[in-house]
Amino acid sequence: MVTAFRGSFPCGRDLNVIARRSRIYSSTKLFSLVCATMMSGLLPSTIFAQNVVAARPPVSPEAMALHRLVKRPVVKSTTPVDVAESSSGVNSAQGPGAGPRDLGEPGCDLFPAPANIGTNVGLSYFGPPPSTVNQSLVGPVQLLNTGQVDATAGTITIPLYKGKVKSTGKTAWYILTDVSDPGIAAELGLNFSAKMNNITTAARTGNLGPDGNIIFDKGTVNFAPERNIVPGPEGAEFPPKSFTPGEVGDANYSPFVRIANGGGVVYNAPMVAYNVDASQINFPNGNVDYTKVHDEVVAIDPINMTVTLNLINGFSFGRPVWYISMDASIPLAAAIEHNTYAPLMAKLLLGNDDSAGSPIERIFIATNGQEGCDNPQRQGLSADLNDGHRPNNTLGGIPTLALDYSPAWDANLYTWTDDAINKGYRQQLREEFQILTYAQDGLIMGASQTAPFGSAGFSINCPIVQRLD
């Protein structure tokens, strides 16, 4: 069976190279037949690739009518937030930690420079970016379109939902970021992920109520724990000496929910507060009480039903991106990521990347990259634990760059070998196949210098928000 492809179907190239680079697990004969069919114009390449990812019929008109109740007005503006009140910027503190634009230094702020640098004309001469014509071209491109991105603060404000957990009868405040159906994604402004159709036992179940809010069958989160993390010694801060996540889900909690009365569609619906009323989480201008609210929340307004979330720097195929980090399948990752420990996520099938039935895409995380926000080569978990800024992770496929996006990221940790470091090869890696080549060449290993490269055995829920270029 043929699996997902990076962009449109790449016929006309050497078949062995294509098979290797596109992770095709079928025979060359089948691949040739598909190419011939598409080149004759009988089968558009992007349609073929998309259907291969998850051949699932669209939801019925009745189900679509139910999902339309989920739609909320796009958040156009938000009250200015004092981010400094919401977090000290220190990694071990409560809250989201440092923002993506806090220092403006090259190792911690990936926002692209103006296009007119080095020219004799003003920026206005360049006009709109090519992405206004075709989103696959140079951006920026906002991908999660339910709210407004604040490019100065590095935040996004999106709708807040008020649902319920059926097993407890208590209120669940949550957000929506991704969905497994393309029509619903377009209707609601969410990210489309065909791979989410493959999330089975790692998703809880629920139903849409008459108001468009989700009634979850099970799954709760305790937001009371105090997040704490103690780095290792200087220069080897990862792994940390000790760690405690700031919010902990029960055994039935996962951000992914399959809607039983909505055609089996899967939403990414991370919880941001639980078992509290609006007056207890009314922090529209920041200064959030993190014993009641998710650590990535910068501001929350249950009166106007909006929530502002911190954005995180990363890369996808060489391009800088912003995403949010909401959940992780192990406590260590949840503590580092300032997100929720979601035990049910441990049931995700990991290690198979784009094979048939895969629910995940890969995220590549350095353990021992260079450190310092003033260092443009800064990257990795030791850097994160050293200065409190995020590690500049490299993501696999995202919308507009690939067809195999999933917010369920299979963490592939990599460690630079002593030999590579001594030879001066250690650098900031921004592209998946560059990383895979370095692993093939023995310059990087797995989670340690003795571990094989590959899945580290845990996943992170990181919905994509914006491609910066």
Side-chain angles (χ1 to χ4, degrees), residues 57 64 106 108 281 289 298:
M64 178 59 81
C108 294
I281 57 170
D289 180 354
V298 174

mmCIF file of all heavy atoms in Angstrom, residues 57 64 106 108 281 289 298:
data_model
loop_
_atom_site.group_PDB
_atom_site.id
_atom_site.type_symbol
_atom_site.label_atom_id
_atom_site.label_comp_id
_atom_site.label_asym_id
_atom_site.label_seq_id
_atom_site.Cartn_x
_atom_site.Cartn_y
_atom_site.Cartn_z
ATOM 1 N N PRO A 57 -15.100 8.244 3.770
ATOM 2 C CA PRO A 57 -16.111 9.067 3.113
ATOM 3 C C PRO A 57 -16.437 10.294 3.948
ATOM 4 O O PRO A 57 -16.266 10.285 5.177
ATOM 5 C CB PRO A 57 -17.305 8.122 3.013
ATOM 6 C CG PRO A 57 -17.106 7.130 4.118
ATOM 7 C CD PRO A 57 -15.627 6.947 4.213
ATOM 8 N N MET A 64 -23.054 16.749 9.294
ATOM 9 C CA MET A 64 -22.457 18.059 9.038
ATOM 10 C C MET A 64 -23.279 19.165 9.682
ATOM 11 O O MET A 64 -22.724 20.131 10.241
ATOM 12 C CB MET A 64 -22.345 18.292 7.531
ATOM 13 C CG MET A 64 -21.766 19.657 7.159
ATOM 14 S SD MET A 64 -20.107 19.956 7.832
ATOM 15 C CE MET A 64 -19.112 19.065 6.645
ATOM 16 N N PRO A 106 18.662 35.943 18.144
ATOM 17 C CA PRO A 106 18.533 34.986 17.036
ATOM 18 C C PRO A 106 18.327 33.537 17.450
ATOM 19 O O PRO A 106 17.755 32.764 16.690
ATOM 20 C CB PRO A 106 19.854 35.146 16.278
ATOM 21 C CG PRO A 106 20.813 35.722 17.266
ATOM 22 C CD PRO A 106 19.985 36.620 18.129
ATOM 23 N N CYS A 108 16.455 32.536 19.973
ATOM 24 C CA CYS A 108 15.166 32.347 20.642
ATOM 25 C C CYS A 108 14.009 33.031 19.932
ATOM 26 O O CYS A 108 12.856 32.886 20.349
ATOM 27 C CB CYS A 108 15.242 32.859 22.081
ATOM 28 S SG CYS A 108 16.374 31.913 23.128
ATOM 29 N N ILE A 281 -12.088 31.456 36.806
ATOM 30 C CA ILE A 281 -11.047 31.470 35.757
ATOM 31 C C ILE A 281 -11.158 32.713 34.875
ATOM 32 O O ILE A 281 -10.755 32.697 33.720
ATOM 33 C CB ILE A 281 -11.117 30.197 34.892
ATOM 34 C CG1 ILE A 281 -12.506 30.025 34.261
ATOM 35 C CG2 ILE A 281 -10.750 28.966 35.710
ATOM 36 C CD1 ILE A 281 -12.557 28.936 33.216
ATOM 37 N N ASP A 289 -4.375 32.206 37.320
ATOM 38 C CA ASP A 289 -4.194 31.265 38.418
ATOM 39 C C ASP A 289 -3.966 29.887 37.810
ATOM 40 O O ASP A 289 -4.902 29.224 37.361
ATOM 41 C CB ASP A 289 -5.439 31.262 39.310
ATOM 42 C CG ASP A 289 -5.319 30.296 40.481
ATOM 43 O OD1 ASP A 289 -4.317 29.546 40.551
ATOM 44 O OD2 ASP A 289 -6.249 30.270 41.317
ATOM 45 N N VAL A 298 -2.262 32.239 28.460
ATOM 46 C CA VAL A 298 -1.742 33.557 28.805
ATOM 47 C C VAL A 298 -2.860 34.434 29.370
ATOM 48 O O VAL A 298 -2.644 35.258 30.245
ATOM 49 C CB VAL A 298 -1.102 34.228 27.577
ATOM 50 C CG1 VAL A 298 -0.680 35.657 27.862
ATOM 51 C CG2 VAL A 298 0.099 33.416 27.101
#
